[in-house]
Amino acid sequence: MTPMTDRLHILVSAEELSAITSRLAAEIDRDYADHPRMILLGILKGSILFMSDLMKKMKTVCEIDFMKVSSYGRGVRSSTGEVQVTLDLFREDIRQYDVLIVEDIVDSGRTLTFLTRYLLDKGAKSVRSCVLLDKPSRREVPYIPDYVGTVIPDEFVLGYGLDYDEKYRNLPYVAAVDQSKN
Ligand code: IMP
Ligand code: MG
């Protein structure tokens, strides 16, 4: 069995990640300048490094909050794709708030489709999304994120918040796992 660290190739380097968060922060600042009640909503756990780098570079005044969701039967192609809230926002009343969901990756599109509906049902004024990585070839439901760091091919990735079996989230870059080496 080849060790995991020997099966990785870097897909998005630390330097590229820094350029991505600078660009996205500028885009968000431009679009949210006149939105006095903004919440950056990080989806745990994968978004933590992305969100912390992004928010440090933003000038927009905002609150931060978090949610955790789980999707059943992940990786099982025949799954219903049902999404459930396992940790709700700390703020109870989000009416009048413009919510920007910060997510590590959009894959099937089910998580962000569900969250958008969930937050609008709670009365959010607007709901948009900012994702680090987009795998458009994997979509099962039509979902277009509002802000995208970079588009990647259909490869399993880890690092910079993303996990493989809950590990490797602390790598400072995004890497793909070479499936040919086992
Ligand atoms: P979606 O609902 O299928 O769009 O799922 C998005 C979630 O799946 C992300 O928040 C990740 O937790 C997880 N995910 C999808 N692809 C990957 C990957 O390549 N590496 C790690 N996690 C992934
Ligand atoms: Mg996730």
Side-chain angles (χ1 to χ4, degrees), residues 138-153:
R138 294 264 303 164
R139 261 337 166 271
E140 292 169 21
V141 291
Y143 181 85
I144 300 173
D146 297 278
Y147 303 90
V148 176
T150 186
V151 171
I152 59 166

Side-chain angles (χ1 to χ4, degrees), residues 25-140:
E27 289 177 18
I28 294 165
D29 282 342
R30 180 197 63 205
D31 296 349
Y32 284 86
D34 55 355
H35 294 64
R37 290 184 181 169
M38 182 202 191
I39 299 175
L40 274 188
L41 177 63
I43 307 308
L44 297 172
K45 303 171 187 169
S47 70
I48 61 155
L49 294 187
F50 176 43
M51 176 141 145
S52 59
D53 284 344
L54 182 70
M55 62 192 266
K56 275 186 281 188
K57 293 176 176 176
M58 284 171 49
K59 296 186 178 70
T60 307
V61 175
C62 63
E63 295 187 18
I64 64 166
D65 213 320
F66 297 95
M67 282 183 73
K68 194 169 192 298
V69 292
S70 62
S71 38
Y72 282 95
R74 265 226 70 83
V76 182
R77 295 275 178 168
S78 61
S79 80
T80 59
E82 190 188 335
V83 180
Q84 285 205 349
V85 175
T86 51
L87 175 75
D88 210 346
L89 295 116
F90 288 85
R91 168 175 284 284
E92 288 196 358
D93 187 358
I94 58 168
R95 287 172 299 172
Q96 318 294 324
Y97 279 83
D98 293 295
V99 179
L100 181 60
I101 303 168
V102 181
E103 173 67 311
D104 51 3
I105 186 166
V106 51
D107 188 62
S108 72
R110 292 188 190 279
T111 303
L112 284 167
T113 301
F114 169 85
L115 282 170
T116 304
R117 166 69 23 222
Y118 182 83
L119 296 161
L120 288 172
D121 285 349
K122 274 184 178 275
K125 191 172 162 198
S126 71
V127 179
R128 287 192 220 168
S129 62
C130 176
V131 304
L132 175 65
L133 306 169
D134 188 3
K135 277 186 195 170
S137 61
R138 294 264 303 164
R139 261 337 166 271
E140 292 169 21

